[in-house]
Amino acid sequence: MKSKFNYIVPIFNKEDILPDTLAGIEKVAGGNSELMLIVDGCTDRSEEIVDEFIKNSSHKVHKILMPNVHMLLSVNAGLKKVTSGFSIIMQDDIILEDVESEKKITELYQQKNNKLGVISFRYGSNIKFANWKTRLLNKTFSNLIEEHDFIKGPDDYANYESGDYGIFYPRMSAINGPNCIPYNLLEQSGLLDENLAPYGYDDPEYCLRSLQLGFTNGLFPVKYTSDEEWGGTRRSKAFLKEVGRIHRRNKIYIAKKHGHFLAQYLKKK
């Protein structure tokens, strides 16, 4: 039997692109795969689009209503329904293109003897403690983490080193979905750390937990379509003002939570 995949999609006011996002999942998802669509405080037609999609989908679809809690808590709402297989966590403005993606992902995990943790279709990075210059920029004397040594898939627009489709690139952290979490890791590590809510650095934190359990993370580019202009429905002035403060708080939190492990890991590497 083919592997089961769970597609977890937090949705916030994406009525323009959402039909294409859902059509992409419908196209690539296998027959026994499920969709968890989290309608997260939408004020446009997104919920209507989800309802129409459910009527016509050939897959089992869970519609989950959340009261505008941002992505981290919405992802956890979807992960709570997962009982097996692989969980693909993705934004509501990603159009999956590769109809062989489930097969390729399953084969990759089998090659790694089920000790592969989180993979991203988009970015991979390594993690280190921030230096004093970064601490000054963050206006803190506390220790904090930072990401470096980025690599991206061919479909992303960031100015990083680019990898190729179908090649696995080991990195400490798989970041910025679509991400894949296998059930054996989810079962051992649990949900995303809600102390990081509403958003920011939840991927590196989860990947550090994965490393502590003996898993390997990284980038595995799988073709999708996205555009920088499609995102940003939450980017009000008030939201943007809070981003720096919350990210700084979360980087300090992760350094405290995983500092001993990270120091030992970096020393060994």
Side-chain angles (χ1 to χ4, degrees):
M1 189 172 82
K2 290 184 178 180
S3 298
K4 177 186 175 184
F5 281 73
N6 310 284
Y7 293 84
I8 299 174
V9 191
I11 298 166
F12 181 75
N13 289 356
K14 284 290 184 1
E15 61 181 4
D16 292 337
I17 193 62
L18 186 57
D20 294 325
T21 297
L22 298 178
I25 300 172
E26 185 75 9
K27 179 174 69 174
V28 307
N32 62 334
S33 292
E34 298 183 14
L35 284 66
M36 287 72 168
L37 306 180
I38 303 96
V39 181
D40 185 8
C42 294
T43 56
D44 65 355
R45 292 187 56 255
S46 292
E47 186 174 357
E48 296 174 39
I49 293 167
V50 167
D51 290 339
E52 188 64 27
F53 173 79
I54 291 172
K55 291 178 185 177
N56 298 299
S57 176
S58 62
H59 297 89
K60 183 175 182 180
V61 183
H62 305 267
K63 185 177 84 167
I64 304 169
L65 298 178
M66 296 292 281
N68 193 13
V69 294
H70 296 269
M71 190 165 180
L72 191 158
L73 296 179
S74 289
V75 169
N76 275 352
L79 286 174
K80 288 174 183 177
K81 292 190 173 293
V82 173
T83 58
S84 63
F86 299 95
S87 296
I88 304 294
I89 299 167
M90 54 181 282
Q91 293 92 330
D92 51 10
D93 58 357
I94 297 284
I95 303 171
L96 300 178
E97 301 281 0
D98 189 346
V99 295
E100 295 290 316
S101 59
E102 290 189 357
K103 178 175 179 290
K104 293 175 181 178
I105 292 167
T106 301
E107 290 175 350
L108 176 66
Y109 277 90
Q110 289 172 344
Q111 290 168 11
K112 301 297 181 181
N113 296 317
N114 294 318
K115 291 307 291 183
L116 182 60
V118 188
I119 61 172
S120 172
F121 302 174
R122 184 185 291 244
Y123 296 136
S125 75
N126 285 323
I127 304 170
K128 63 182 180 180
F129 292 111
N131 59 29
W132 66 269
K133 290 182 180 179
T134 303
R135 293 187 196 182
L136 286 177
L137 288 172
N138 280 271
K139 300 177 182 179
T140 180
F141 293 105
S142 299
N143 211 354
L144 65 157
I145 59 128
E146 65 177 345
E147 297 159 295
H148 69 109
D149 195 18
F150 288 89
I151 187 168
K152 67 172 185 176
D155 296 317
D156 195 79
Y157 38 77
N159 186 28
Y160 300 141
E161 176 188 353
S162 184
D164 296 320
Y165 295 123
I167 305 295
F168 175 66
Y169 300 88
R171 289 294 190 276
M172 293 170 68
S173 182
I175 54 176
N176 206 344
N179 283 355
C180 178
I181 299 176
Y183 185 70
N184 62 331
L185 173 58
L186 179 64
E187 194 173 33
Q188 294 178 61
S189 190
L191 303 175
L192 302 182
D193 187 339
E194 295 190 353
N195 289 307
L196 300 170
Y199 47 81
Y201 290 87
D202 44 290
D203 291 339
E205 193 283 326
Y206 201 87
C207 287
L208 284 170
R209 280 191 267 160
S210 171
L211 292 174
Q212 290 178 67
L213 291 167
F215 291 88
T216 299
N217 311 308
L219 171 71
F220 185 66
V222 176
K223 185 165 182 56
Y224 64 84
T225 298
S226 187
D227 192 294
E228 191 172 14
E229 297 300 318
W230 296 351
T233 50
R234 292 190 192 273
R235 294 176 189 167
S236 65
K237 289 183 179 179
F239 175 86
L240 292 174
K241 187 176 181 181
E242 286 291 288
V243 168
R245 181 188 66 80
I246 293 173
H247 283 188
R248 179 170 60 251
R249 178 202 70 183
N250 288 356
K251 288 186 287 185
I252 293 170
Y253 172 82
I254 294 169
K256 289 179 179 178
K257 180 177 180 181
H258 297 294
H260 179 72
F261 167 78
L262 183 57
Q264 294 300 312
Y265 185 90
L266 294 174
K267 185 177 180 181
K268 289 179 182 178
K269 293 296 180 181

